[in-house]
């Protein structure tokens, strides 16, 4: 595999506003690309412009959306999530835009929608590409006017909310295919932040894995798990198509199967173990780089100071 560019594991981490402790690993990236993204996100949080988060499934778009809200002046107000994949079409209008008593047969009382519930805060539309065309038009109108008419109502209600949307699908492709409104896409595409997949920020994989193992201590009767050197090497080598979500699931599997508090290579899922037999360095200096990688992983696993080294960056 071709190596496009190298950089140091010791890349400086930007000083960003901190979120809750459980989110810190995602926001202390050693990857220059991810660090730059977080700096941009922190700056964007200070304003009210609509933000579009893109990236593969499992990269943490929902976590970043919450962090942007925590960094913003709206942090004390609600953060309301609208998952466009779980709401039935017939529920969307009522869920989003409210309804008044008698609007339909089951409307026995007035009910505020999610935009009203988020007043003064942030609304996060997860997987916005799943929004059906009829509701895309209503959503576009809300973005333009920041007001809506409840179902069965006769007056417009204005609300002040910050909008963040996310999609794991390419919205430009969705527009070309006629599944997503072009005018809505451009209304959402004010500040776009692409979260890179784990394979593009390999310096973050091992710290994330170690943090997940420490966090799991309360769920594993106080057992504190560590990775053996060969297990850590396999974790770093694997491309993680499911990203952070897949990494978490793999470690959950390994902790369940492990005979001791040290997770061995054989405790990891088959897909991850197979990565250990390959390796991601394929140029003339591969053997030396692989040796240095193992040395770094060994030091990281034993919590000793890691040697200065440069790891390859993959684009994929």
């Amino acid at each position: 595999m071709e190596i496009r560019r190298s950089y140091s594991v010791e890349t400086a981490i930007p000083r960003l506003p901190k979120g809750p402790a459980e989110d810190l690993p995602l926001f202390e990236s050693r990857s220059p690309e991810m660090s730059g993204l977080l700096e941009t996100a922190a700056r964007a949080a200070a304003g009210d412009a609509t933000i579009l988060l893109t990236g593969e499934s499992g990269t943490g778009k929902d976590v970043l959306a919450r962090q942007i809200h925590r960094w913003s002046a709206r942090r004390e107000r609600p953060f309301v999530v609208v998952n466009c994949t779980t709401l039935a079409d017939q529920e969307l209008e009522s869920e989003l835009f409210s309804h008044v008593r008698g609007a339909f047969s089951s409307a026995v009382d007035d009910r505020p929608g999610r935009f009203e519930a988020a007043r003064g805060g942030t609304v996060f539309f997860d997987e916005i590409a799943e929004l059906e065309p009829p509701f895309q038009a209503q959503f576009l109108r809300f973005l333009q006017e920041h007001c809506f008419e409840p179902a069965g109502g006769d007056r417009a209600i204005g609300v002040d909310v910050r909008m963040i949307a996310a999609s794991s699908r390419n919205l430009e492709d969705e527009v070309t295919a006629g599944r997503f409104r072009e005018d809505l896409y451009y209304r959402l595409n004010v500040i776009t932040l692409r979260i890179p997949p784990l394979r593009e920020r390999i310096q973050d994989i091992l710290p994330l894995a170690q943090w997940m193992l420490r966090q799991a201590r309360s769920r594993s009767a106080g057992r504190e798990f560590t990775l053996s050197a060969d297990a850590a090497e396999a974790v770093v080598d694997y491309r993680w198509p499911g990203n952070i979500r897949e990494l978490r699931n793999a470690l959950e599997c390994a902790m369940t199967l492990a005979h001791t508090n040290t997770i061995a290579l054989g405790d990891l899922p088959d897909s991850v173990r197979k990565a250990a037999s390959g390796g991601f360095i394929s140029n003339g200096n591969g053997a030396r780089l692989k040796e240095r990688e193992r040395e770094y992983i060994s030091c990281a696993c034993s919590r000793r100071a890691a040697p200065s080294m440069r790891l390859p960056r993959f684009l994929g």
Side-chain angles (χ1 to χ4, degrees):
M1 183 177 294
E2 179 185 2
I3 299 175
R4 305 287 184 86
R5 189 169 60 184
S6 296
Y7 47 70
S8 174
V9 175
E10 299 170 347
T11 302
I13 298 170
R15 293 192 176 187
L16 297 171
K18 297 300 186 183
E22 66 267 18
D23 292 340
L24 289 182
L26 181 61
F27 304 109
E28 290 187 345
S29 175
R30 292 165 170 78
S31 158
E33 183 177 3
M34 188 67 179
S35 297
L37 168 74
L38 294 173
E39 288 183 324
T40 302
R43 291 197 300 271
D48 278 331
T50 299
I51 296 176
L52 177 61
L53 304 178
T54 66
E56 297 176 6
S57 179
T59 51
K61 296 184 290 295
D62 56 337
V63 178
L64 182 56
R66 289 182 184 276
Q67 188 61 43
I68 290 171
H69 175 71
R70 291 168 184 149
W71 284 336
S72 77
R74 298 175 180 267
R75 66 180 69 89
E76 301 300 327
R77 303 301 298 164
F79 178 86
V80 175
V81 177
V82 178
N83 190 328
C84 298
T85 65
T86 60
L87 285 179
D89 295 348
Q90 62 269 24
E91 297 175 346
L92 267 172
E93 185 173 8
S94 175
E95 285 286 335
L96 298 181
F97 302 111
S98 315
H99 67 249
V100 300
R101 180 179 179 181
F104 42 87
S105 59
S106 60
V108 296
D109 207 344
D110 292 354
R111 180 181 177 184
R114 301 197 187 188
F115 287 133
E116 278 193 90
R119 190 182 296 272
T122 302
V123 179
F124 173 52
F125 268 74
D126 198 12
E127 295 300 345
I128 190 71
E130 301 293 335
L131 198 64
E132 293 295 327
F135 295 102
Q136 291 179 23
Q138 289 179 274
F139 185 42
L140 174 63
R141 180 186 174 192
F142 176 78
L143 285 175
Q144 292 170 333
E145 302 174 4
H146 275 255
C147 67
F148 61 90
E149 290 184 8
D154 57 2
R155 64 182 180 85
I157 298 176
V159 290
D160 170 32
V161 295
R162 205 286 175 67
M163 194 66 57
I164 303 177
S167 178
S168 57
R169 283 154 55 181
N170 187 309
L171 289 185
E172 291 184 352
D173 292 345
E174 297 298 303
V175 169
T176 301
R179 292 186 292 266
F180 200 80
R181 292 180 63 109
E182 184 176 26
D183 48 3
L184 177 55
Y185 168 66
Y186 286 116
R187 177 65 66 171
L188 291 171
N189 191 27
V190 179
I191 298 175
T192 298
L193 302 174
R194 173 187 174 268
I195 303 181
L198 277 181
R199 64 181 176 274
E200 292 184 13
R201 48 189 182 105
I202 59 173
Q203 308 101 314
D204 292 340
I205 295 175
L206 196 57
L208 274 169
Q210 293 171 327
W211 170 80
M212 289 176 183
L213 293 176
R214 291 195 298 271
Q215 288 294 102
R217 183 176 182 178
S218 61
R219 303 192 304 273
S220 57
R223 295 176 66 188
E224 185 171 350
F225 289 91
T226 59
L227 290 167
S228 66
D230 55 353
E233 182 179 347
V235 165
V236 172
D237 283 0
Y238 185 56
R239 291 179 63 80
W240 300 108
N243 294 293
I244 295 174
R245 185 180 298 120
E246 184 185 10
L247 174 61
R248 186 185 301 276
N249 291 343
L251 293 175
E252 289 282 353
C253 170
M255 285 186 288
T256 302
L257 298 178
H259 296 289
T260 69
N261 287 7
T262 299
I263 293 174
L265 179 61
D267 300 323
L268 295 170
D270 289 345
S271 56
V272 182
R273 290 203 305 268
K274 290 175 182 176
S277 62
F280 50 76
I281 309 297
S282 60
N283 68 348
N285 295 323
R288 179 57 182 159
L289 286 172
K290 197 69 173 178
E291 178 184 342
R292 295 292 287 161
E293 175 208 339
R294 289 195 183 96
E295 184 181 353
Y296 174 79
I297 290 172
S298 177
C299 290
C301 288
S302 62
R303 300 183 181 177
R304 291 183 285 118
S308 176
M309 66 171 287
R310 300 178 75 84
L311 291 175
R313 175 175 182 263
F314 298 166
L315 301 177

